[in-house]
Amino acid sequence: MDDGAESISVEKENPVWVQKYIDSPEQQKKLYKRTLLIVVLSQIFGGAGLAAGITVGALLAQDMLGTDSVAGLPMALFTLGSAGAAFLVGRLSQSYGRRPGLATGFLAGGIGALGVIIAAVTSNIFLLFACLFIYGAGTATNLQARYAGTDLAKSTQRATAVSIALVSTTFGAVAGPNLVRVMGNVADSIGVPTLAGPFILAAAAYILAGLVILFFLRPDPFLVAKAIAAAEKTTATISAEPNSREEIEKKRKVKAGITIMVVAQFVMIAIMTMTPVHMGHYGHGLQDVGLVIGFHIGAMFLPSLVTGVLVDKVGRTVMAIASAITLCLAGMLAAFGPAESMFMLHTALILLGIGWNFGLISGTALIVDGTSTDTRAKTQGTSDVLVALSGAAGGAISGIVVSYTSFSTLSIWGAVFSLIIIPVVFWSKRGRKKNE
């Protein structure tokens, strides 16, 4: 009788629209599909937004300051801004749902991009750095959006749900770098510095992504998932004793997932940030840079549909190890391949993107596996803070390393560092049954 009374009281506490999803697996399935559709649409715009900073951020700072030593600073700043935004978006999402969290992050990214344009027009380097920091909110939100697709996914669908969100980013992310020259011409025609042109596209793209989330991500998938989880706990007839072994295994999953993503992000950002500057030293023009970065970003996101299926079917461990090996190979090719060869540059940067993709999806799946709705969004936000900080470190260190040594040295160290993923993965599986 007590269990029944509790169940009835929970029903009364839940709004009708929430109870509809609690009572019907079919409604849950429909909302899961609708959520993926909205996330896909926002990611298309968001992908175009993030591409601007990646492609010309370093070049803009280099042009305004006249030195290579700070070329990695823009990437460091907007990845540092991404860290702060990831923390805030995670906390907002945990308390109020995905919709307010993601919409706020995307809109902030759009405002930051507008500020970068103003900084370029006024030649204000301090404003440039401040707005690049704010612009990083869009990057963080673009990554955080991948979690929205997993809120109502089954355990065997989680990596695939992440991959659907990521692959949709490809459309905007690949188009962005390849519109560098077009947006540069647009900027010239309205009296804006050429290198600020891509940020015009970024501002519009991030603002549109925020509006899509704000108006269409209803009902909120995370709030529904929390209500479903709460109802399942309340109506359970047997109160299961906490299993300390399971808790330890879950914590290991979360730690391993975070480490995989942190290492992949650090290596990818460090090598990618200095590639445009490295190409410039060997006579490659802005169009060549846009093409290489475009292929790189495509490789970051386009394999996602296949990667997600592999992570769900083959396992998180195998794909994490594949991430380490691919990143290592990319670093070695970047270090020892002839810089004059566009083919070699394309190959190295494509492998760099694929390695990052493997690491991000396998790491994300491990974090979702190891958390419950009580703390999931908050933990996801915290993990993305660490990922963003690692990217900031990679961006800042890359310019210094290349300035004092060479791009080859940076790439070799990146290749070696990526192999840390392998022992971490085996540590996370220690004493655990083979279940993934």
Side-chain angles (χ1 to χ4, degrees):
M1 289 295 293
D2 289 340
D3 289 339
E6 284 184 5
S7 179
I8 291 169
S9 67
V10 170
E11 280 194 28
K12 288 181 178 178
E13 289 174 7
N14 284 315
V16 174
W17 68 267
V18 173
Q19 195 62 43
K20 174 176 74 171
Y21 293 102
I22 293 173
D23 295 337
S24 173
E26 186 60 32
Q27 289 295 326
Q28 294 174 27
K29 186 177 179 181
K30 287 181 180 178
L31 180 58
Y32 166 67
K33 290 181 178 179
R34 186 174 187 276
T35 297
L36 281 180
L37 181 62
I38 301 306
V39 169
V40 163
L41 186 57
S42 71
Q43 292 292 84
I44 292 173
F45 292 123
L50 71 87
I54 291 173
T55 309
V56 299
L59 297 175
L60 183 59
Q62 182 189 34
D63 183 63
M64 290 177 71
L65 288 172
T67 176
D68 288 354
S69 62
V70 295
L73 193 55
M75 181 66 75
L77 283 169
F78 72 72
T79 49
L80 193 60
S82 175
F87 179 85
L88 293 174
V89 170
R91 293 307 188 273
L92 276 173
S93 298
Q94 185 69 51
S95 300
Y96 304 106
R98 299 289 185 191
R99 190 171 67 89
L102 296 178
T104 299
F106 275 132
L107 293 173
I111 292 169
L114 289 172
V116 170
I117 298 165
I118 295 170
V121 171
T122 59
S123 298
N124 189 325
I125 195 67
F126 297 107
L127 180 61
L128 173 70
F129 290 159
C131 290
L132 281 170
F133 181 84
I134 299 169
Y135 168 77
T139 307
T141 310
N142 214 62
L143 281 175
Q144 286 270 305
R146 74 192 188 277
Y147 290 118
T150 68
D151 287 333
L152 296 168
K154 297 177 182 177
S155 60
T156 55
Q157 297 175 315
R158 286 167 181 165
T160 303
V162 171
S163 70
I164 290 172
L166 287 178
V167 78
S168 59
T169 308
T170 308
F171 298 104
V174 173
N178 287 292
L179 290 174
V180 164
R181 174 168 286 187
V182 174
M183 294 309 300
N185 292 337
V186 170
D188 282 338
S189 70
I190 58 175
V192 172
T194 303
L195 290 173
F199 285 95
I200 299 173
L201 174 64
Y206 275 151
I207 290 169
L208 282 171
L211 294 177
V212 166
I213 293 292
L214 188 62
F215 290 112
F216 298 108
L217 195 63
R218 301 169 182 265
D220 194 293
F222 187 67
L223 296 182
V224 173
K226 285 175 73 174
I228 292 169
E232 288 174 350
K233 284 182 181 179
T234 304
T235 55
T237 56
I238 299 175
S239 177
E241 289 296 321
N243 188 322
S244 59
R245 184 185 180 86
E246 284 183 7
E247 288 303 311
I248 291 171
E249 289 177 356
K250 284 183 177 181
K251 287 178 181 178
R252 281 187 179 176
K253 284 182 180 181
V254 172
K255 290 176 182 178
I258 291 172
T259 303
I260 292 164
M261 292 194 297
V262 162
V263 172
Q265 182 80 353
F266 181 91
V267 173
M268 187 274 290
I269 291 288
I271 295 174
M272 179 199 64
T273 297
M274 295 311 298
T275 296
V277 176
H278 175 63
M279 291 178 67
H281 291 161
Y282 284 86
H284 296 287
L286 196 58
Q287 187 173 6
D288 289 340
V289 171
L291 196 61
V292 168
I293 297 299
F295 273 94
H296 166 68
I297 295 175
M300 288 171 64
F301 298 106
L302 194 56
S304 294
L305 280 176
V306 175
T307 305
V309 173
L310 288 173
V311 171
D312 279 334
K313 301 292 185 183
V314 177
R316 280 67 161 144
T317 300
V318 172
M319 295 307 295
I321 292 171
S323 169
I325 293 171
T326 308
L327 288 170
C328 182
L329 182 58
M332 289 301 178
L333 285 177
F336 297 110
E340 299 84 2
S341 169
M342 282 291 288
F343 173 78
M344 190 59 68
L345 288 167
H346 276 298
T347 303
L349 269 290
I350 286 171
L351 286 173
L352 189 68
I354 292 172
W356 177 87
N357 178 273
F358 289 171
L360 187 76
I361 295 180
S362 58
T364 298
L366 282 169
I367 289 172
V368 177
D369 291 345
T371 54
S372 67
T373 54
D374 294 336
T375 59
R376 182 166 294 158
K378 187 166 64 174
T379 302
Q380 290 163 346
T382 301
S383 71
D384 278 5
V385 167
L386 296 174
V387 170
L389 287 174
S390 73
I397 291 170
S398 65
I400 297 170
V401 171
V402 171
S403 180
Y404 286 96
T405 58
S406 67
F407 180 75
S408 294
T409 300
L410 173 72
S411 300
I412 291 169
W413 277 109
V416 173
F417 186 63
S418 65
L419 297 177
I420 291 174
I421 290 173
I422 296 175
V424 168
V425 168
F426 284 111
W427 166 82
S428 73
K429 289 183 69 66
R430 190 177 62 187
R432 189 162 16 121
K433 292 179 180 179
K434 188 177 179 182
N435 55 10
E436 55 187 47

